[in-house]
Every structure is written in structure tokens, then in C-alpha cells.
Amino acid sequence: MKKIVIPILILAILVALYEQRSAQKNVYVMVIAIVVFMFGMMRLSSKTSSKNKQKEEDNV
């Protein structure tokens, strides 16, 4: 899954940066690129465990 998400994130970043450089900016392309990037980051960060979860289990 990680092998698919990371290239999609890189592509979204490149599209957003390219759109920023153009003289006539398209807002919809920027919004879509940001949404794809945020969704991909959410998918990647959901796999990591938090430190607070371990502390809560120790207190029980």
C-alpha cells in the first residue's frame, strides 16, 4: 500500500507546484491536488502508532 500512496503524493505535490508557477492559476486543480495530498498523508499516518496509546495501556 505504501508503494502506491507515496508516488501519488509526489505526483500531487508536483501538480500543485506546477500549477503555482503558471501565469493563469486554476483553483480547482490546486484544491484537488491538496485534497489528494491530505488524503494520502492521512492514509500513511494511520499506520503509525501513537506514543499516548502505550501510556494509556500502562496506566490501566
Side-chain angles (χ1 to χ4, degrees):
M1 186 66 177
K2 203 183 227 186
K3 293 179 182 179
I4 296 171
V5 174
I6 292 175
I8 292 173
L9 289 176
I10 293 171
L11 183 66
I13 292 169
L14 292 175
V15 166
L17 288 175
Y18 177 75
E19 196 61 34
Q20 279 288 76
R21 285 184 52 122
S22 66
Q24 194 175 23
K25 295 171 179 59
N26 191 346
V27 177
Y28 296 115
V29 173
M30 287 294 296
V31 168
I32 291 171
I34 291 170
V35 167
V36 168
F37 179 75
M38 295 303 286
F39 181 74
M41 288 302 293
M42 182 184 68
R43 297 282 297 203
L44 284 178
S45 66
S46 69
K47 301 294 181 183
T48 59
S49 62
S50 70
K51 293 180 182 179
N52 294 336
K53 187 176 180 181
Q54 291 175 349
K55 289 180 184 177
E56 289 175 4
E57 290 176 359
D58 291 340
N59 291 337
V60 173

